[in-house]
Amino acid sequence: MVTARRPLIAGNWKMNLDHLQSIAFVQKLAWNLKDAKHDAATVEAAIFPPFTDLRSVQTLIDADKLELELGAQDLSDNDSGAFTGDISGAFLSKLAVKYVIVGHSERRTIHLESDEVVASKVAAAHRNGLVPVVCVGETADDLEKHGPSAVPVAQLKAALAAVPSSAEIVVAYEPVWAIGSGQAATPDQAQQVCAALRATLVDLLGADAAASTRVLYGGSVKASNIASFMREPDVDGALVGGASLDITEFASIIRYQNHVGV
Ligand code: 13P
């Protein structure tokens, strides 16, 4: 069975834009997409603002019926209790958040999140009705020592250890060396690893689930290179950092199907 995968362009704002800035940004982004007659049925667009912006953005999306999905950048692996500073998946769910990034390399590095913690957060997302965007990717050192796919594949196996095969997930392949460096992977490199990740999904979840799961590429994605990634058969979208903070640039990435030569 061939399953059509709706491309997903996701903007991870990281720790940028306060709630007032986020409202202005989302309004302008929505106008830009509307002016350009963007059809969300062909390409899904999602934004991942900081926690403190979520309520404001959710209210705006709701009130104006914007065709933008909302995601969070992290969640706790616990649902409630004495976990100062943590955010429950149950709270995110109440805010109509659809997606949550889990295991971003910045959390693995700065907050020392292990594969076990990532797996537990993936399970918490699923338990609370959120779709985890599971991030995997190798460092430059890993690439040299183990080649391109070994570390991302091992991270994916570990991350999915505690969820049923029916759980909806999104996978994001983000080579650490490409994040914020301006040096994106080549489309061929991205395809190679995304194909290896999909083959891993076949083993873990079965062929149908693997065929319908979106695998994104992330790392220095821009309007000028998105179309070349999206031509690859196993790349189903992008997780965009820096370029998602520029309205015109991000709207252009979302509208990659309209780019000349695609
Ligand atoms: P850049 O697009 O800034 O390289 O960041 C990628 C990223 O980390 C998205 O999660």
Side-chain angles (χ1 to χ4, degrees), residues 10 12 14 101 103-106 134-139 152 155 171-179 193-194 197 216-221 238-241:
N12 174 10
K14 308 192 179 183
I101 294 172
H104 191 280
S105 68
E106 285 148 19
V134 183
C135 296
V136 297
E138 81 288 359
T139 62
Q155 287 175 336
V171 177
Y173 167 52
E174 297 208 304
V176 180
W177 48 268
I179 295 177
V193 180
C194 290
L197 292 170
L216 316 182
Y217 166 75
S220 298
V221 169
L239 184 54
V240 186

Side-chain angles (χ1 to χ4, degrees), residues 33-142:
L33 292 172
K34 200 170 175 195
D35 269 359
K37 300 196 176 14
H38 172 67
D39 179 6
T42 58
V43 178
E44 182 179 14
I47 46 169
F48 293 71
F51 288 128
T52 51
D53 300 4
L54 287 174
R55 175 65 174 149
S56 310
V57 175
Q58 178 245 337
T59 307
L60 176 62
I61 288 176
D62 237 33
D64 293 358
K65 300 193 175 21
L66 305 182
E67 293 191 316
L68 285 170
E69 299 295 343
L70 192 55
Q73 297 176 15
D74 182 39
L75 83 171
S76 170
D77 51 350
N78 294 288
D79 293 346
S80 66
F83 303 101
T84 302
D86 286 354
I87 300 288
S88 164
F91 304 163
L92 298 175
S93 214
K94 269 271 160 60
L95 280 174
V97 164
K98 177 174 180 184
Y99 295 107
V100 60
I101 294 172
V102 178
H104 191 280
S105 68
E106 285 148 19
R107 296 215 57 95
R108 291 180 191 261
T109 312
I110 303 166
H111 297 277
L112 307 179
E113 288 189 8
S114 64
D115 279 344
E116 290 69 33
V117 169
V118 172
S120 173
K121 289 189 170 191
V122 169
H126 174 62
R127 191 165 67 236
N128 287 293
L130 303 163
V131 177
V133 177
V134 183
C135 296
V136 297
E138 81 288 359
T139 62
D141 197 41
D142 294 331

